[in-house]
């Protein structure tokens, strides 16, 4: 049972344009969401997070939007740069349970073309 | 200021052998977490340890898998009598002392286990 779903295995974007990565979740108990970035042969690196009490969180070129009613979140990268090319994982957890136990999606491979 | 270290980076075992994966957390970190990524899947939580204590092993398979984090030395994930289905990337993460959390978890580069 895939509780966190990233339905697009890959995304290709031109440098300077916006990249939008999507994530859906089924477990309504999740109340904290994170995005990780992973380069080949490296571990995931924390990028940005959002609590369910918010609907938007921004950090530089990265913005995460949360739509609780749709159980959907998205990561916007603007402007996209070639160095952003990586696999992006959406992850979630429930603060009322084990707040260290992340549930990950399968990831989306982002390719930013120069 | 080294990050989370994992070794070996690649491990090949034949069916029935044992696999030992090691994880050295970041300096000053006292919480260790192990995750497994099967092919075409996301990372899945396996176990959370503090020094000399297993806090949560709810994600560990009931048989053949064990984990430890001794007072001295790295955390070890041990898989006995490996089977082909154990082939995966195993990631370790660590976090600082205090309340465990998720956005303070720093991941290692992973160990890719291949079972022949």
């Amino acid at each position: 049972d895939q509780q966190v779903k990233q339905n697009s295995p890959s995304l290709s974007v031109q440098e300077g344009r916006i990249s939008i990565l999507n994530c859906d979740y089924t477990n309504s108990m999740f109340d904290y969401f994170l995005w990780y970035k992973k380069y080949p042969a490296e571990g995931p690196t924390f990028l940005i997070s959002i609590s369910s009490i918010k609907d938007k969180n921004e950090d530089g070129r990265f913005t995460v939007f949360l739509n609780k009613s749709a159980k959907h979140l998205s990561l916007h990268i603007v402007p996209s740069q070639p160095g952003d090319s990586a696999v992006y994982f959406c992850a979630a957890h429930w603060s009322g349970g084990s707040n260290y136990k992340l549930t990950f999606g399968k990831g989306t491979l982002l390719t930013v073309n120069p | 200021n080294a990050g989370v270290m994992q070794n070996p980076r690649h491990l090949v075992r034949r069916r029935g052998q044992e696999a030992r994966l090691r994880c050295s957390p970041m300096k000053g970190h006292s919480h260790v977490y192990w995750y497994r990524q099967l092919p075409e899947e996301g990372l899945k939580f396996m176990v959370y340890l503090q020094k000399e204590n297993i806090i949560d092993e709810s994600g560990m398979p009931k048989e053949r898998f064990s984990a430890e984090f001794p007072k001295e030395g790295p955390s070890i994930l041990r898989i006995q009598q490996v089977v082909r289905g154990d082939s995966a990337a195993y990631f370790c993460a660590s976090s600082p002392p205090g309340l465990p959390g998720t956005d303070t978890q720093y991941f290692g580069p992973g160990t890719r286990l291949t079972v022949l």
Side-chain angles (χ1 to χ4, degrees), chain B residues 24-38:
Chain B
S24 296
M26 284 181 72
K27 189 176 180 181
H29 284 193
S30 55
H31 304 286
V32 166
Y33 318 81
W34 285 92
Y35 291 82
R36 177 167 70 171
Q37 184 182 21
L38 294 169

Side-chain angles (χ1 to χ4, degrees), chain A residues 1-2 32 34 36 38 40-46 49 87 89 92-93 98-107, chain B residues 9 33 35 37 40-45 48 55-56 58-59 91 99-110:
Chain A
D1 61 333
Q2 195 76 19
Y32 198 79
L34 307 93
Y36 282 81
K38 184 183 178 303
E42 294 184 13
T45 303
F46 169 73
S49 62
V87 176
F89 290 100
H93 78 78
S98 311
N99 65 346
Y100 48 80
K101 193 184 298 186
L102 289 163
T103 300
F104 282 85
K106 293 185 181 182
Chain B
R9 296 293 307 276
Y33 318 81
Y35 291 82
Q37 184 182 21
E40 310 299 321
E41 298 289 329
L43 284 75
K44 286 188 166 35
F45 170 84
Y48 160 43
I55 306 302
D56 182 348
S58 58
F91 290 95
L99 290 174
T102 48
D103 52 359
T104 56
Q105 286 184 28
Y106 294 83
F107 282 82

